[in-house]
Amino acid sequence: MAGSDSAAPLASLRSRLDDGPVGLRTLLIVALVLNAELLFVVLYAAFSNATITAPRYILYGLTWVNVGALVLWRVRPPAGYDFETRRRALAVAAGYFALLAFFGGMVGIGVPPDFVDLRIAWLPPGWGPALVWATEYLTIVVMPAYLVGYTALAYLLYITALEASGSVVAGVVGLFSCVSCTLPIVAALVSSFLGGTGIVAATALDASYGASTAVFLVTVALLYWRPGFR
């Protein structure tokens, strides 16, 4: 009797977890993923030549990967739309991804012939390992954080475009998830009036990763919940 009495609270707790918005199975999967990522970070730092200047850069990169992967795993597109509607929504999402990839630095104009190559860039975990393909006409930098993050944003915009065309406006916020590209430029312009570029530009570059991650999370929230559009 004592054994059954002690097991009852555990069974009740498990029932509440299973019936909750997350679920026990999801919690276990998340725990396994986080442990696997911790092991990956340790092995990556030990066996690669990646330069990790601050742990927060790893946190930023893995936040993009984890949140993007969670969106792709848990969110399902609504049913009941015809092929033409889905095709238009897919075109909007594809164009959105292309804009993010371009302004985010994943895709750019080619480089001089001396720099043409295909290589792996050992960036901090989450941002790397990155595949860099540089040709005379086109340069592609595939960073895991941006690839997964931008795919998730485009996927959410696809669902948004299906449900209500007006809510596409929320997705425009995602264009500013390239703060990491624009802040150093702004800092360089501002510092040119202050008599030096080094300190200001470095400060902006350091802060921009956190800012772009925050904007990414806000954009995911806007596209998922779409306040005022449902």
Side-chain angles (χ1 to χ4, degrees):
M1 294 294 293
S4 61
D5 291 341
S6 62
L10 293 177
S12 176
L13 176 61
R14 179 173 180 178
S15 176
R16 288 197 300 270
L17 288 173
D18 287 334
D19 295 337
V22 178
L24 181 60
R25 179 173 176 270
T26 300
L27 290 176
L28 291 175
I29 292 175
V30 170
L32 289 173
V33 169
L34 292 179
N35 279 279
E37 287 182 345
L38 179 60
L39 178 61
F40 168 75
V41 169
V42 173
L43 294 176
Y44 186 83
F47 294 101
S48 72
N49 58 355
T51 301
I52 301 175
T53 57
R56 64 180 178 276
Y57 294 136
I58 300 176
L59 179 62
Y60 295 150
L62 293 182
T63 296
W64 281 71
V65 172
N66 290 336
V67 172
L70 185 63
V71 167
L72 297 173
W73 175 41
R74 298 288 294 179
V75 180
R76 293 292 178 266
Y81 293 92
D82 57 48
F83 173 77
E84 185 62 25
T85 301
R86 291 183 177 276
R87 186 182 65 82
R88 289 196 300 266
L90 183 61
V92 170
Y96 183 63
F97 179 86
L99 286 174
L100 290 174
F102 179 77
F103 287 106
M106 287 181 62
V107 179
I109 301 174
V111 297
D114 293 342
F115 292 93
V116 171
D117 66 352
L118 176 65
R119 60 187 176 87
I120 299 294
W122 299 104
L123 304 176
W127 307 107
L131 177 65
V132 180
W133 180 46
T135 71
E136 296 183 32
Y137 307 102
L138 188 68
T139 299
I140 298 177
V141 181
V142 182
M143 290 186 288
Y146 285 160
L147 178 63
V148 177
Y150 290 162
T151 300
L153 288 178
Y155 179 63
L156 288 173
L157 188 65
Y158 167 74
I159 296 174
T160 300
L162 283 177
E163 293 187 348
S165 59
S167 60
V168 172
V169 175
V172 175
V173 180
L175 292 175
F176 296 95
S177 59
C178 186
V179 177
S180 59
C181 302
T182 58
L183 267 183
I185 299 175
V186 173
L189 293 174
V190 172
S191 61
S192 66
F193 295 100
L194 300 178
T197 61
I199 295 177
V200 178
T203 302
L205 181 61
D206 180 68
S208 64
Y209 288 99
S212 63
T213 301
V215 172
F216 168 70
L217 295 176
V218 169
T219 308
V220 168
L222 284 175
L223 287 172
Y224 181 78
W225 282 290
R226 296 188 291 281
F229 292 112
R230 287 184 182 271

